[in-house]
Amino acid sequence: MALLEIENLTVEFETATGWFKAVDGVSLSVEPREVLAIVGESGSGKSVSMLAVMGLLPDTAKITADTMLFQGTDIQQMSAAERRKLIGKDMAMIFQEPVASLNPCFTVGFQIEEVLRIHMGLGRKERRQRAIELFELVGLPDPAERLGHFPHQMSGGQCQRVMIAIAIACDPKLLIADEPTTALDVTIQKQILDLLMTLQAETGMGLIMITHDMGVVAETADRVIVQYKGRKMEEADVLSLFEAPKNAYTKALLSALPENATGNRLSTVSDFMAQESAGGVQ
Ligand SMILES: Nc1ncnc2c1ncn2[C@@H]1O[C@H](COP(=O)(O)OP(=O)(O)O)[C@@H](O)[C@H]1O
Ligand SMILES: [Mg+2]
């Protein structure tokens, strides 16, 4: 059974000039142990589609889908309470801005222990022990001491490790990583990706890796969905996508990779966009 199965997901927001479709009929599925990458330029509806699945969009968003199943259970039919139980436990998400995603007012230890208390019902001693183990697992030095630190006392990379520890604290079956390395220094990006891939392999969780970077896709994905302006442009296993991309937008993203660069990234993708608005892309 698929971990997640979405058919024909549409998300609309009301704007001053009418309804705007941020996600337009996207279908996707993730199998257990699978890494699915969703790739596309900024604004293509990657975050919004996953926030819709997580139930984290504001009430102003109009969400429709023909199918939205998590392990065969209809998410759309769940009560708010059932959904809260699912989120953060079986289905967890980490975000692009690790520092902003943590609460500045509480120690990181308190924040991870709260998750362990609420979702796992652990007592004080067990939570602390488990928090230390998790910090160790994500490669934070001096994990016991680290529990007493506030987010501002840590680097972006360390905060992202804390976020990852919180996300995996309840052994999720599916982890959604939304541009988890975009806000980090280049040298740290690889470490965080490696950490995510190691954890994914060890735990066997499914992973949705959201990125704008084909380099990240190449390093992580089994299967890839290319999204543009809220629509799925192409879906393929990672080798087929890199060897024989079918869609013009996929080709534009690929030609922006350093090893394929003929111009710079922005020119190739904006060439595509100019061509598309002139009606030249099928
Ligand atoms: N709460 C919101 N209200 C109105 N429009 C939104 C909201 N959230 C996102 N959008 C719009 O939806 C589109 C897709 O956004 P997003 O999913 O964040 O893109 P991506 O993650 O691919 O960069 C963007 O045009 C964005 O401005
Ligand atoms: Mg985004």
Side-chain angles (χ1 to χ4, degrees), residues 45-94:
K46 306 181 299 294
S47 297
V48 166
S49 59
M50 288 303 114
L51 290 169
V53 172
M54 293 285 286
L56 296 175
L57 284 175
D59 289 343
T60 50
K62 193 161 87 187
I63 304 169
T64 58
D66 294 343
T67 308
M68 210 191 259
L69 302 177
F70 183 78
Q71 292 191 305
T73 306
D74 190 342
I75 305 177
Q76 288 174 300
Q77 297 301 320
M78 284 181 181
S79 69
E82 284 171 322
R83 203 147 170 170
R84 268 198 305 276
K85 251 188 237 163
L86 180 71
I87 293 161
K89 187 172 186 311
D90 289 335
M91 189 160 66
M93 188 158 173
I94 52 177

Side-chain angles (χ1 to χ4, degrees), residues 39-41 212-215 226-228 233-234 241-242 244-276 281-282:
V39 64
E41 286 298 291
H212 61 269
D213 184 342
M214 278 292 192
V226 180
Q227 201 165 304
Y228 177 71
M233 307 300 277
E234 180 162 3
L241 191 92
F242 277 74
K246 293 197 173 68
N247 184 273
Y249 180 62
T250 312
K251 288 176 193 168
L253 286 176
L254 284 169
S255 62
L257 278 171
E259 56 268 37
N260 299 334
T262 46
N264 64 41
R265 173 188 175 77
L266 281 176
S267 69
T268 50
V269 175
S270 57
D271 284 352
F272 167 84
M273 290 165 83
Q275 229 182 321
E276 190 234 21
V281 174
Q282 335 45 41

Side-chain angles (χ1 to χ4, degrees), residues 23 35 44 147 196 219 255:
V23 179
V35 182
S44 54
L147 291 177
L196 279 170
E219 277 192 42
S255 62

